[in-house]
Amino acid sequence: MKAVIAAVALLMAVLCMSTGASANQIIIGAGQNHTTVHAEINDNIIVQLEGPRSTGHQGMLDFWPGPAVIQNGKPSFDPNGHGHGKAGIYNFPFVAVQKGLSTIRLEFARHWEANPQKSFIVTISVQN
């Protein structure tokens, strides 16, 4: 599955370069929780959320049905400081690949907890 996602992302990048289509970068943050964000095909979308690095909470990524957006690389973590338990910014990269709707849900939880410490959900509406 990861190979398919990587291949589609590479294909989209090649198509953007060959057709001259320009892609926008859309940054989605905590203030857009439970909203719909509008994008165009080939737009790069980055969900940026603050989260703890070393306290056992992990960002869990979940897609709901909708083929409009795919993951575009691995999530990354940018620390705001040094030391145990310091918060930082998680970056979850996506790309809009076709017209339609996709919903992204992220949850920060320890694997043994039934309820997440934090959750975030956003719907991406992709136009042509």
Side-chain angles (χ1 to χ4, degrees), residues 1 8 14 18 22 28 30-31 33 35 54 58 63 69 75 77-78 81 91 94-95 99-100 109 123-124 126-127:
M1 183 66 175
V8 170
V14 169
S18 66
S22 61
I28 299 172
N33 195 12
T35 66
S54 58
Q58 298 289 324
F63 284 100
V69 173
F77 179 81
D78 295 327
N91 296 288
F94 301 91
V95 64
K99 188 175 179 179
T123 299
I124 310 295
V126 180
Q127 307 302 313

Side-chain angles (χ1 to χ4, degrees), residues 2 20 23 41 46 51 59-60 65 80 91 98 104 106 118 123 128:
K2 288 181 183 179
I41 294 173
I46 301 174
M60 306 287 284
N80 286 341
N91 296 288
Q98 70 182 41
I104 300 166
L106 297 160
K118 287 184 185 180
T123 299
N128 49 340

Side-chain angles (χ1 to χ4, degrees), residues 9 25 33-34 42 45 54 59 90 97 108 115-116 128:
Q25 181 166 309
N33 195 12
H34 296 285
N42 298 324
I45 301 162
S54 58
Y90 282 94
V97 294
F108 290 93
N115 297 316
N128 49 340

Side-chain angles (χ1 to χ4, degrees), residues 4-88:
V4 171
I5 291 172
V8 170
L10 179 61
L11 176 62
M12 293 306 300
V14 169
L15 288 174
C16 283
M17 288 186 286
S18 66
T19 63
S22 61
N24 295 314
Q25 181 166 309
I26 299 170
I27 306 295
I28 299 172
Q32 291 157 301
N33 195 12
H34 296 285
T35 66
T36 298
V37 174
H38 299 279
E40 295 181 4
I41 294 173
N42 298 324
D43 283 353
N44 292 305
I45 301 162
I46 301 174
V47 177
Q48 291 185 337
L49 299 173
E50 188 173 300
R53 175 65 171 169
S54 58
T55 59
H57 290 85
Q58 298 289 324
M60 306 287 284
L61 180 62
D62 187 20
F63 284 100
W64 288 358
V69 173
I70 62 170
Q71 193 168 351
N72 188 24
K74 295 181 180 181
S76 64
F77 179 81
D78 295 327
N80 286 341
H82 303 288
H84 180 73
K86 293 288 184 183

